[in-house]
């Protein structure tokens, strides 16, 4: 009976040890996952904080910083390019540029490669402010005409902040990630023309759209969803199934074909 009791006691101790080990492993895993998920950020007032990509604000900060990475890559590859604006948008970001020579989507691979290089450089971001006169002089020295115009249009009492990463500096209110290292997956998606400040009286700029995620798996899932949505696009299906067509005589107006009239 003593041997049996001793054996049972050993079993209980072994079970407790296994449970404690499992608990510690789970706790460590949760902590590591949290550290990987949390991103250190620089807030608009210059203070430091943490955000998560899964949160709306965190995703917006993440995409905004990626737009700066895009602008830095473009300036490295095309030094004469002038910068306009580069906000975060739903599911991604864009940046407007004035290129000296036109570019096309065929240039995306080179730009993406440079962006990934900037991420690997793990560049810390630094926020600093300048007075109005200093900010205008700073941007004039860099031949950034669009930035000068933006500064001149700011209210007299505005705090004029900039963000620096490596050799790149941009006029920006923030917030931003505190390092480029967080942006693990990038995809430039399209090109478009965009008038400066949305006015056809102004110069036509080149807008580059893109998307980004903390890891390649999330990027793949997003791109797969976009492809599936394209397959179900009513404009595509309508033409393929012979339901309607679009003609030059009525842009945006569907002309129903015989099959479409039956459905109608």
């Amino acid at each position: 009976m003593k041997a049996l009791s001793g054996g049972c006691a050993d079993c209980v101790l072994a079970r407790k040890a296994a449970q404690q080990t499992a608990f510690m492993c789970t706790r460590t895993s949760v902590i590591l996952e949290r550290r990987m998920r949390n991103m250190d950020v620089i807030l608009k007032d210059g203070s430091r904080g943490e955000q998560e990509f899964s949160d709306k604000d965190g995703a917006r900060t993440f995409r905004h910083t990626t737009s700066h990475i895009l602008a830095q890559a473009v300036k490295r590859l095309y030094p004469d390019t002038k910068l306009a604006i580069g906000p975060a948008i739903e599911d991604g970001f864009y940046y407007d540029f004035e290129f000296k020579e036109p570019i096309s989507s065929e240039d995306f691979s080179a730009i993406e490669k440079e962006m990934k290089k900037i991420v690997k450089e793990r560049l810390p971001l630094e926020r600093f402010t300048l007075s109005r006169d200093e900010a205008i002089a700073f941007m004039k020295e860099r031949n950034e005409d669009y930035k000068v115009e933006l500064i001149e249009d700011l209210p007299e009492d505005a705090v004029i902040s900039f963000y620096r990463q490596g050799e790149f500096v941009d006029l920006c209110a923030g917030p931003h990630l505190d390092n480029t290292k967080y942006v693990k997956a990038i995809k430039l998606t399209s090109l478009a023309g965009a008038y400066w400040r949305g006015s056809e009286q102004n110069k036509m700029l080149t807008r580059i759209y893109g998307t980004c995620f903390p890891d390649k798996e999330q990027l793949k899932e997003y791109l797969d969803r976009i492809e599936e949505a394209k397959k179900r696009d009513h404009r595509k299906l309508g033409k393929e199934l012979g339901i309607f067509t679009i003609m030059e005589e009525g842009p945006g107006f569907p002309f129903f074909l015989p099959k479409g009239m039956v459905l109608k």
Side-chain angles (χ1 to χ4, degrees), residues 33-39 51-55 58-63 66 91 93 119 177 179-187 211-222:
E33 184 180 349
R34 184 173 181 275
R35 286 177 180 172
M36 289 174 65
R37 190 171 64 239
N38 282 4
M39 307 176 297
Q51 291 180 342
E52 295 182 9
F53 184 80
S54 57
D55 295 333
R60 196 164 193 81
T61 300
F62 188 94
R63 292 164 182 154
T66 310
D91 294 333
F93 59 90
V119 171
L177 303 176
N179 197 292
T180 62
K181 66 183 180 181
Y182 295 104
V183 186
K184 302 296 186 183
I186 301 166
K187 180 68 177 177
T211 190
C212 53
F213 291 89
D215 58 67
K216 293 179 181 178
E217 289 74 18
Q218 290 183 66
L219 174 60
K220 184 179 183 304
E221 288 174 6
Y222 170 78

Side-chain angles (χ1 to χ4, degrees), residues 6-259:
C8 288
D10 290 341
C11 288
V12 170
L13 290 174
R15 258 198 317 272
K16 286 184 176 180
Q19 289 172 349
Q20 186 174 10
T21 301
F23 171 77
M24 291 301 294
C25 287
T26 302
R27 185 169 179 273
T28 301
S29 177
V30 169
I31 292 172
L32 288 174
E33 184 180 349
R34 184 173 181 275
R35 286 177 180 172
M36 289 174 65
R37 190 171 64 239
N38 282 4
M39 307 176 297
D40 294 321
V41 300
I42 305 171
L43 302 173
K44 286 188 175 184
D45 62 359
S47 63
R48 300 276 173 156
E50 284 189 348
Q51 291 180 342
E52 295 182 9
F53 184 80
S54 57
D55 295 333
K56 185 176 180 180
D57 288 343
R60 196 164 193 81
T61 300
F62 188 94
R63 292 164 182 154
H64 193 180
T65 298
T66 310
S67 79
H68 279 218
I69 294 173
L70 166 60
Q72 183 176 13
V74 166
K75 290 291 281 187
R76 284 184 178 184
L77 297 172
Y78 311 94
D80 295 329
T81 301
K82 292 185 178 181
L83 306 175
I85 58 172
I89 57 175
E90 186 177 358
D91 294 333
F93 59 90
Y94 71 76
Y95 211 110
D96 290 345
F97 303 96
E98 181 188 325
F99 287 95
K100 197 168 185 179
E101 299 293 336
I103 69 163
S104 71
S105 56
E106 293 180 359
D107 299 299
F108 282 179
S109 60
I111 298 173
E112 285 179 359
K113 183 178 179 180
E114 192 64 35
M115 291 177 73
K116 292 172 183 175
K117 180 181 176 184
I118 291 167
V119 171
K120 288 182 179 179
E121 289 173 12
R122 302 170 70 89
L123 299 176
L125 275 77
E126 171 198 355
R127 179 185 180 274
F128 65 95
T129 60
L130 294 174
S131 69
R132 180 179 297 273
D133 290 342
E134 290 173 331
I136 290 172
F138 183 71
M139 280 302 173
K140 280 185 175 179
E141 185 180 345
R142 291 171 171 257
N143 296 315
E144 296 292 358
D145 303 336
Y146 299 105
K147 301 297 183 180
V148 172
E149 184 178 329
L150 290 172
I151 295 168
E152 290 175 338
D153 287 349
L154 288 172
E156 288 296 326
D157 60 348
V159 175
I160 304 174
S161 60
F162 296 81
Y163 282 80
R164 176 186 286 115
Q165 56 195 56
E167 82 287 354
F168 178 77
V169 179
D170 203 354
L171 171 72
C172 189
H176 278 286
L177 303 176
D178 80 338
N179 197 292
T180 62
K181 66 183 180 181
Y182 295 104
V183 186
K184 302 296 186 183
I186 301 166
K187 180 68 177 177
L188 300 181
T189 54
S190 62
L191 274 178
Y195 289 110
W196 169 236
R197 291 192 154 183
S199 172
E200 60 184 15
Q201 303 300 318
N202 294 331
K203 191 175 184 66
M204 175 72 78
L205 305 176
T206 300
R207 178 171 294 178
I208 300 179
Y209 287 94
T211 190
C212 53
F213 291 89
D215 58 67
K216 293 179 181 178
E217 289 74 18
Q218 290 183 66
L219 174 60
K220 184 179 183 304
E221 288 174 6
Y222 170 78
L223 295 176
D224 288 345
R225 287 199 307 271
I226 295 301
E227 284 304 312
E228 285 300 315
K230 286 180 181 178
K231 293 176 184 177
R232 295 191 296 271
D233 190 319
H234 70 278
R235 292 165 297 185
K236 180 174 181 293
L237 292 174
K239 290 180 181 180
E240 290 178 351
L241 298 174
I243 296 172
F244 63 80
T245 187
I246 304 294
M247 298 182 179
E248 293 182 4
E249 291 81 358
F253 182 81
F255 289 85
F256 283 97
L257 300 173
K259 289 183 180 179

